[in-house]
Amino acid sequence: MKGLVQKDIYQLTSSWFRPVRIFFVIVVLAAGMIFLKQDSSIILVLLLLLMVNNIQSLFIKDSTNRWLSLLKSLKISTFAVIGSRYITLVVICVCGAILNFVYMLFGMFLFNTSTGIDVLVISSICLWVSLIYGLVIIPFLYAFKQNGLTLAIIIMFSCVALLIKFSSAITKLAYIIHSYSYVQLILIAIVALIGIGIISMVVSYLIVEKEK
């Protein structure tokens, strides 16, 4: 499994760490810091989601190179194949959250508009959201390959649109959230993350097993 994770990370970093892309990211982050000031963290959140979206390139390369067929001939277990992809997701999200934390910390010292606790909480929320987002799209990528990401995003945006349409549901949800303590909310978030993670891995496992 370690070798599979290293392969995924190498493929992603080889496409990310290019002079033009690094320069573009630096310019965007600097512009966000200058023009958006304390709200500039939204740019890094969007970049983090784009990093997660880049997992799609791994599935496209796997499909092109018939990677799953090769792994099958090497008798590598389906669990190892699936698990390595989820570990790659966690690595991406954690690295993105750390980058977000450092960026927001710099903004805090520069503009003095937030506290260290605020930075930590927002970075933790970004980590949670990016993990949930990744856990949702991976089964779609296994099932629909290059079309999986588009389909997953359409479904997620449709769900958000429905929630916005029914404002009473949002009000009730906000009331429920405010009725819990911070500790309870953290526990709920962790349980939800674990639950969605298990469902996501099981669905992905069944899809890969069926393709074999």
PDB file of all heavy atoms in Angstrom, residues 70-93:
ATOM      1  N   LEU A  70      -3.274  -4.445 -14.079  1.00  0.00           N
ATOM      2  CA  LEU A  70      -1.903  -4.780 -13.685  1.00  0.00           C
ATOM      3  C   LEU A  70      -1.847  -5.201 -12.220  1.00  0.00           C
ATOM      4  O   LEU A  70      -1.191  -6.193 -11.873  1.00  0.00           O
ATOM      5  CB  LEU A  70      -0.986  -3.572 -13.917  1.00  0.00           C
ATOM      6  CG  LEU A  70       0.462  -3.713 -13.434  1.00  0.00           C
ATOM      7  CD1 LEU A  70       1.159  -4.862 -14.154  1.00  0.00           C
ATOM      8  CD2 LEU A  70       1.220  -2.404 -13.628  1.00  0.00           C
ATOM      9  N   LEU A  71      -2.541  -4.453 -11.369  1.00  0.00           N
ATOM     10  CA  LEU A  71      -2.549  -4.783  -9.945  1.00  0.00           C
ATOM     11  C   LEU A  71      -3.195  -6.139  -9.705  1.00  0.00           C
ATOM     12  O   LEU A  71      -2.777  -6.886  -8.817  1.00  0.00           O
ATOM     13  CB  LEU A  71      -3.284  -3.688  -9.153  1.00  0.00           C
ATOM     14  CG  LEU A  71      -2.627  -2.305  -9.138  1.00  0.00           C
ATOM     15  CD1 LEU A  71      -3.488  -1.326  -8.357  1.00  0.00           C
ATOM     16  CD2 LEU A  71      -1.229  -2.371  -8.537  1.00  0.00           C
ATOM     17  N   LYS A  72      -4.216  -6.446 -10.496  1.00  0.00           N
ATOM     18  CA  LYS A  72      -4.881  -7.739 -10.373  1.00  0.00           C
ATOM     19  C   LYS A  72      -3.915  -8.874 -10.713  1.00  0.00           C
ATOM     20  O   LYS A  72      -3.867  -9.909 -10.035  1.00  0.00           O
ATOM     21  CB  LYS A  72      -6.093  -7.786 -11.289  1.00  0.00           C
ATOM     22  CG  LYS A  72      -6.853  -9.106 -11.221  1.00  0.00           C
ATOM     23  CD  LYS A  72      -8.025  -9.099 -12.178  1.00  0.00           C
ATOM     24  CE  LYS A  72      -8.748 -10.450 -12.159  1.00  0.00           C
ATOM     25  NZ  LYS A  72      -9.873 -10.481 -13.120  1.00  0.00           N
ATOM     26  N   SER A  73      -3.104  -8.676 -11.777  1.00  0.00           N
ATOM     27  CA  SER A  73      -2.136  -9.702 -12.166  1.00  0.00           C
ATOM     28  C   SER A  73      -1.038  -9.876 -11.123  1.00  0.00           C
ATOM     29  O   SER A  73      -0.458 -10.954 -10.988  1.00  0.00           O
ATOM     30  CB  SER A  73      -1.511  -9.351 -13.525  1.00  0.00           C
ATOM     31  OG  SER A  73      -0.728  -8.171 -13.427  1.00  0.00           O
ATOM     32  N   LEU A  74      -0.778  -8.798 -10.366  1.00  0.00           N
ATOM     33  CA  LEU A  74       0.237  -8.863  -9.302  1.00  0.00           C
ATOM     34  C   LEU A  74      -0.352  -9.375  -7.992  1.00  0.00           C
ATOM     35  O   LEU A  74       0.338  -9.450  -6.982  1.00  0.00           O
ATOM     36  CB  LEU A  74       0.850  -7.475  -9.086  1.00  0.00           C
ATOM     37  CG  LEU A  74       1.647  -6.901 -10.271  1.00  0.00           C
ATOM     38  CD1 LEU A  74       2.078  -5.478  -9.968  1.00  0.00           C
ATOM     39  CD2 LEU A  74       2.851  -7.774 -10.586  1.00  0.00           C
ATOM     40  N   LYS A  75      -1.661  -9.671  -8.022  1.00  0.00           N
ATOM     41  CA  LYS A  75      -2.381 -10.196  -6.848  1.00  0.00           C
ATOM     42  C   LYS A  75      -2.341  -9.235  -5.655  1.00  0.00           C
ATOM     43  O   LYS A  75      -2.200  -9.662  -4.510  1.00  0.00           O
ATOM     44  CB  LYS A  75      -1.815 -11.560  -6.430  1.00  0.00           C
ATOM     45  CG  LYS A  75      -1.976 -12.611  -7.503  1.00  0.00           C
ATOM     46  CD  LYS A  75      -1.522 -13.961  -7.029  1.00  0.00           C
ATOM     47  CE  LYS A  75      -1.472 -14.911  -8.177  1.00  0.00           C
ATOM     48  NZ  LYS A  75      -2.326 -15.896  -8.384  1.00  0.00           N
ATOM     49  N   ILE A  76      -2.433  -7.957  -5.954  1.00  0.00           N
ATOM     50  CA  ILE A  76      -2.537  -6.947  -4.894  1.00  0.00           C
ATOM     51  C   ILE A  76      -4.006  -6.822  -4.517  1.00  0.00           C
ATOM     52  O   ILE A  76      -4.874  -6.705  -5.384  1.00  0.00           O
ATOM     53  CB  ILE A  76      -1.974  -5.589  -5.359  1.00  0.00           C
ATOM     54  CG1 ILE A  76      -0.475  -5.735  -5.652  1.00  0.00           C
ATOM     55  CG2 ILE A  76      -2.206  -4.504  -4.314  1.00  0.00           C
ATOM     56  CD1 ILE A  76       0.170  -4.482  -6.190  1.00  0.00           C
ATOM     57  N   SER A  77      -4.292  -6.831  -3.237  1.00  0.00           N
ATOM     58  CA  SER A  77      -5.682  -6.853  -2.771  1.00  0.00           C
ATOM     59  C   SER A  77      -6.431  -5.577  -3.136  1.00  0.00           C
ATOM     60  O   SER A  77      -5.836  -4.496  -3.251  1.00  0.00           O
ATOM     61  CB  SER A  77      -5.728  -7.049  -1.248  1.00  0.00           C
ATOM     62  OG  SER A  77      -5.239  -5.900  -0.591  1.00  0.00           O
ATOM     63  N   THR A  78      -7.727  -5.721  -3.311  1.00  0.00           N
ATOM     64  CA  THR A  78      -8.577  -4.568  -3.608  1.00  0.00           C
ATOM     65  C   THR A  78      -8.545  -3.563  -2.470  1.00  0.00           C
ATOM     66  O   THR A  78      -8.557  -2.347  -2.704  1.00  0.00           O
ATOM     67  CB  THR A  78     -10.032  -5.025  -3.848  1.00  0.00           C
ATOM     68  OG1 THR A  78     -10.046  -5.965  -4.916  1.00  0.00           O
ATOM     69  CG2 THR A  78     -10.928  -3.854  -4.210  1.00  0.00           C
ATOM     70  N   PHE A  79      -8.484  -4.059  -1.244  1.00  0.00           N
ATOM     71  CA  PHE A  79      -8.443  -3.161  -0.083  1.00  0.00           C
ATOM     72  C   PHE A  79      -7.210  -2.265  -0.134  1.00  0.00           C
ATOM     73  O   PHE A  79      -7.287  -1.072   0.187  1.00  0.00           O
ATOM     74  CB  PHE A  79      -8.440  -3.969   1.213  1.00  0.00           C
ATOM     75  CG  PHE A  79      -8.356  -3.124   2.454  1.00  0.00           C
ATOM     76  CD1 PHE A  79      -9.470  -2.456   2.932  1.00  0.00           C
ATOM     77  CD2 PHE A  79      -7.147  -2.978   3.126  1.00  0.00           C
ATOM     78  CE1 PHE A  79      -9.394  -1.653   4.067  1.00  0.00           C
ATOM     79  CE2 PHE A  79      -7.062  -2.190   4.254  1.00  0.00           C
ATOM     80  CZ  PHE A  79      -8.189  -1.524   4.724  1.00  0.00           C
ATOM     81  N   ALA A  80      -6.051  -2.838  -0.548  1.00  0.00           N
ATOM     82  CA  ALA A  80      -4.822  -2.051  -0.642  1.00  0.00           C
ATOM     83  C   ALA A  80      -4.944  -0.977  -1.723  1.00  0.00           C
ATOM     84  O   ALA A  80      -4.503   0.168  -1.536  1.00  0.00           O
ATOM     85  CB  ALA A  80      -3.628  -2.959  -0.930  1.00  0.00           C
ATOM     86  N   VAL A  81      -5.553  -1.345  -2.841  1.00  0.00           N
ATOM     87  CA  VAL A  81      -5.736  -0.393  -3.944  1.00  0.00           C
ATOM     88  C   VAL A  81      -6.643   0.752  -3.518  1.00  0.00           C
ATOM     89  O   VAL A  81      -6.325   1.927  -3.722  1.00  0.00           O
ATOM     90  CB  VAL A  81      -6.331  -1.114  -5.177  1.00  0.00           C
ATOM     91  CG1 VAL A  81      -6.632  -0.108  -6.295  1.00  0.00           C
ATOM     92  CG2 VAL A  81      -5.383  -2.195  -5.669  1.00  0.00           C
ATOM     93  N   ILE A  82      -7.788   0.401  -2.918  1.00  0.00           N
ATOM     94  CA  ILE A  82      -8.743   1.414  -2.466  1.00  0.00           C
ATOM     95  C   ILE A  82      -8.146   2.252  -1.328  1.00  0.00           C
ATOM     96  O   ILE A  82      -8.214   3.479  -1.335  1.00  0.00           O
ATOM     97  CB  ILE A  82     -10.050   0.748  -1.975  1.00  0.00           C
ATOM     98  CG1 ILE A  82     -10.707  -0.039  -3.098  1.00  0.00           C
ATOM     99  CG2 ILE A  82     -11.015   1.792  -1.414  1.00  0.00           C
ATOM    100  CD1 ILE A  82     -11.206   0.780  -4.223  1.00  0.00           C
ATOM    101  N   GLY A  83      -7.548   1.554  -0.362  1.00  0.00           N
ATOM    102  CA  GLY A  83      -6.997   2.254   0.801  1.00  0.00           C
ATOM    103  C   GLY A  83      -5.935   3.257   0.437  1.00  0.00           C
ATOM    104  O   GLY A  83      -5.869   4.355   1.018  1.00  0.00           O
ATOM    105  N   SER A  84      -5.082   2.935  -0.539  1.00  0.00           N
ATOM    106  CA  SER A  84      -4.015   3.853  -0.934  1.00  0.00           C
ATOM    107  C   SER A  84      -4.576   5.151  -1.508  1.00  0.00           C
ATOM    108  O   SER A  84      -4.043   6.234  -1.265  1.00  0.00           O
ATOM    109  CB  SER A  84      -3.097   3.186  -1.969  1.00  0.00           C
ATOM    110  OG  SER A  84      -3.805   2.917  -3.171  1.00  0.00           O
ATOM    111  N   ARG A  85      -5.680   5.032  -2.236  1.00  0.00           N
ATOM    112  CA  ARG A  85      -6.283   6.235  -2.819  1.00  0.00           C
ATOM    113  C   ARG A  85      -6.879   7.131  -1.737  1.00  0.00           C
ATOM    114  O   ARG A  85      -6.804   8.362  -1.814  1.00  0.00           O
ATOM    115  CB  ARG A  85      -7.346   5.809  -3.837  1.00  0.00           C
ATOM    116  CG  ARG A  85      -7.821   6.848  -4.838  1.00  0.00           C
ATOM    117  CD  ARG A  85      -6.752   7.554  -5.621  1.00  0.00           C
ATOM    118  NE  ARG A  85      -5.753   6.778  -6.288  1.00  0.00           N
ATOM    119  CZ  ARG A  85      -5.801   6.314  -7.530  1.00  0.00           C
ATOM    120  NH1 ARG A  85      -6.858   6.533  -8.265  1.00  0.00           N
ATOM    121  NH2 ARG A  85      -4.775   5.679  -8.057  1.00  0.00           N
ATOM    122  N   TYR A  86      -7.454   6.520  -0.702  1.00  0.00           N
ATOM    123  CA  TYR A  86      -8.015   7.303   0.400  1.00  0.00           C
ATOM    124  C   TYR A  86      -6.921   7.914   1.268  1.00  0.00           C
ATOM    125  O   TYR A  86      -7.079   9.038   1.777  1.00  0.00           O
ATOM    126  CB  TYR A  86      -8.961   6.433   1.241  1.00  0.00           C
ATOM    127  CG  TYR A  86     -10.319   6.265   0.607  1.00  0.00           C
ATOM    128  CD1 TYR A  86     -10.570   5.216  -0.275  1.00  0.00           C
ATOM    129  CD2 TYR A  86     -11.346   7.167   0.863  1.00  0.00           C
ATOM    130  CE1 TYR A  86     -11.810   5.060  -0.870  1.00  0.00           C
ATOM    131  CE2 TYR A  86     -12.589   7.024   0.275  1.00  0.00           C
ATOM    132  CZ  TYR A  86     -12.819   5.967  -0.601  1.00  0.00           C
ATOM    133  OH  TYR A  86     -14.045   5.830  -1.197  1.00  0.00           O
ATOM    134  N   ILE A  87      -5.826   7.203   1.428  1.00  0.00           N
ATOM    135  CA  ILE A  87      -4.687   7.776   2.165  1.00  0.00           C
ATOM    136  C   ILE A  87      -4.140   8.980   1.413  1.00  0.00           C
ATOM    137  O   ILE A  87      -3.784  10.000   2.017  1.00  0.00           O
ATOM    138  CB  ILE A  87      -3.595   6.713   2.383  1.00  0.00           C
ATOM    139  CG1 ILE A  87      -4.086   5.632   3.347  1.00  0.00           C
ATOM    140  CG2 ILE A  87      -2.309   7.354   2.933  1.00  0.00           C
ATOM    141  CD1 ILE A  87      -3.136   4.462   3.509  1.00  0.00           C
ATOM    142  N   THR A  88      -4.080   8.878   0.083  1.00  0.00           N
ATOM    143  CA  THR A  88      -3.641  10.009  -0.738  1.00  0.00           C
ATOM    144  C   THR A  88      -4.544  11.211  -0.527  1.00  0.00           C
ATOM    145  O   THR A  88      -4.077  12.350  -0.406  1.00  0.00           O
ATOM    146  CB  THR A  88      -3.636   9.619  -2.231  1.00  0.00           C
ATOM    147  OG1 THR A  88      -2.750   8.515  -2.429  1.00  0.00           O
ATOM    148  CG2 THR A  88      -3.184  10.789  -3.094  1.00  0.00           C
ATOM    149  N   LEU A  89      -5.858  10.965  -0.458  1.00  0.00           N
ATOM    150  CA  LEU A  89      -6.816  12.046  -0.190  1.00  0.00           C
ATOM    151  C   LEU A  89      -6.521  12.713   1.138  1.00  0.00           C
ATOM    152  O   LEU A  89      -6.499  13.953   1.234  1.00  0.00           O
ATOM    153  CB  LEU A  89      -8.240  11.488  -0.199  1.00  0.00           C
ATOM    154  CG  LEU A  89      -9.333  12.433   0.324  1.00  0.00           C
ATOM    155  CD1 LEU A  89      -9.503  13.618  -0.611  1.00  0.00           C
ATOM    156  CD2 LEU A  89     -10.659  11.694   0.497  1.00  0.00           C
ATOM    157  N   VAL A  90      -6.286  11.921   2.184  1.00  0.00           N
ATOM    158  CA  VAL A  90      -6.005  12.468   3.517  1.00  0.00           C
ATOM    159  C   VAL A  90      -4.736  13.309   3.490  1.00  0.00           C
ATOM    160  O   VAL A  90      -4.687  14.405   4.068  1.00  0.00           O
ATOM    161  CB  VAL A  90      -5.879  11.333   4.559  1.00  0.00           C
ATOM    162  CG1 VAL A  90      -5.407  11.893   5.899  1.00  0.00           C
ATOM    163  CG2 VAL A  90      -7.208  10.608   4.730  1.00  0.00           C
ATOM    164  N   VAL A  91      -3.697  12.826   2.801  1.00  0.00           N
ATOM    165  CA  VAL A  91      -2.429  13.567   2.697  1.00  0.00           C
ATOM    166  C   VAL A  91      -2.657  14.921   2.030  1.00  0.00           C
ATOM    167  O   VAL A  91      -2.165  15.956   2.498  1.00  0.00           O
ATOM    168  CB  VAL A  91      -1.379  12.753   1.915  1.00  0.00           C
ATOM    169  CG1 VAL A  91      -0.147  13.606   1.614  1.00  0.00           C
ATOM    170  CG2 VAL A  91      -0.970  11.511   2.700  1.00  0.00           C
ATOM    171  N   ILE A  92      -3.423  14.921   0.938  1.00  0.00           N
ATOM    172  CA  ILE A  92      -3.711  16.173   0.222  1.00  0.00           C
ATOM    173  C   ILE A  92      -4.455  17.150   1.125  1.00  0.00           C
ATOM    174  O   ILE A  92      -4.105  18.332   1.216  1.00  0.00           O
ATOM    175  CB  ILE A  92      -4.552  15.889  -1.040  1.00  0.00           C
ATOM    176  CG1 ILE A  92      -3.730  15.112  -2.059  1.00  0.00           C
ATOM    177  CG2 ILE A  92      -5.048  17.199  -1.666  1.00  0.00           C
ATOM    178  CD1 ILE A  92      -4.550  14.639  -3.241  1.00  0.00           C
ATOM    179  N   CYS A  93      -5.488  16.666   1.801  1.00  0.00           N
ATOM    180  CA  CYS A  93      -6.312  17.539   2.645  1.00  0.00           C
ATOM    181  C   CYS A  93      -5.530  18.082   3.836  1.00  0.00           C
ATOM    182  O   CYS A  93      -5.665  19.262   4.192  1.00  0.00           O
ATOM    183  CB  CYS A  93      -7.548  16.783   3.125  1.00  0.00           C
ATOM    184  SG  CYS A  93      -8.704  16.355   1.811  1.00  0.00           S
TER     185      CYS A  93
END
